[in-house]
Amino acid sequence: MKWFGKCVDYFFTGMGFGAICYVCILTFFNPGIAPTVRETISVLGISGVIGLLSMIFKTDLPMSAAFALHFVGTFILFIFMAIINQWSINISSIVIFILMYGIIWLICLLEQKKTVNRINDRIKKRNLK
């Protein structure tokens, strides 16, 4: 059951990142275009699957291999989502994908750094007692 809970957590985290990206893209790159039900459902569902794909980083694979597999898998899912929603796949959509992927990675790295610093601070406080 613990594994199922982790899957749900990763799925919903992926949905959150996907929803934020989708809203940002609609706001800054396609202003005035309203989201459709099909687009919203596909973005949330596929973003959740991308979140599940992120579990690859918890395996014993080398980080470079895990990153490469995650990037390629995420790109394939992005292409699948674009086909479902009949979005054009061109250089600008690929650049936006890479930009969003990089921003999400930066957010994850900053969050991880914050967590590590918090743990280190607790260890230091414990050692001072």
Side-chain angles (χ1 to χ4, degrees):
M1 197 55 143
K2 189 176 182 180
W3 181 80
F4 179 74
K6 283 186 179 187
C7 288
V8 170
D9 186 44
Y10 274 82
F11 188 86
F12 281 111
T13 299
M15 283 178 67
F17 278 118
I20 291 168
C21 289
Y22 185 50
V23 168
C24 288
I25 289 169
L26 286 177
T27 302
F28 299 113
F29 297 105
N30 293 322
I33 297 177
T36 66
V37 172
R38 180 181 66 201
E39 288 174 348
T40 302
I41 290 171
S42 70
V43 166
L44 292 176
I46 292 173
S47 296
V49 174
I50 292 169
L52 288 173
L53 183 60
S54 298
M55 293 177 82
I56 196 167
F57 294 108
K58 297 293 183 184
T59 65
D60 292 334
L61 282 173
M63 184 63 168
S64 58
F67 180 79
L69 286 170
H70 186 266
F71 181 81
V72 169
T74 300
F75 187 72
I76 289 168
L77 288 166
F78 165 75
I79 296 296
F80 180 64
M81 182 171 44
I83 291 168
I84 288 172
N85 294 313
Q86 300 170 352
W87 296 337
S88 61
I89 302 168
N90 53 33
I91 192 69
S92 68
S93 63
I94 293 170
V95 168
I96 290 170
F97 166 80
I98 293 170
L99 177 68
M100 291 294 178
Y101 191 86
I103 290 170
I104 291 170
W105 259 102
L106 180 64
I107 291 167
C108 290
L109 289 174
L110 291 172
E111 184 64 30
Q112 208 171 37
K113 182 176 171 30
K114 186 173 110 179
T115 301
V116 168
N117 287 341
R118 191 173 2 163
I119 292 168
N120 286 338
D121 287 343
R122 287 182 185 164
I123 291 171
K124 286 177 188 174
K125 287 178 184 176
R126 197 174 303 151
N127 288 339
L128 290 174
K129 290 181 180 180

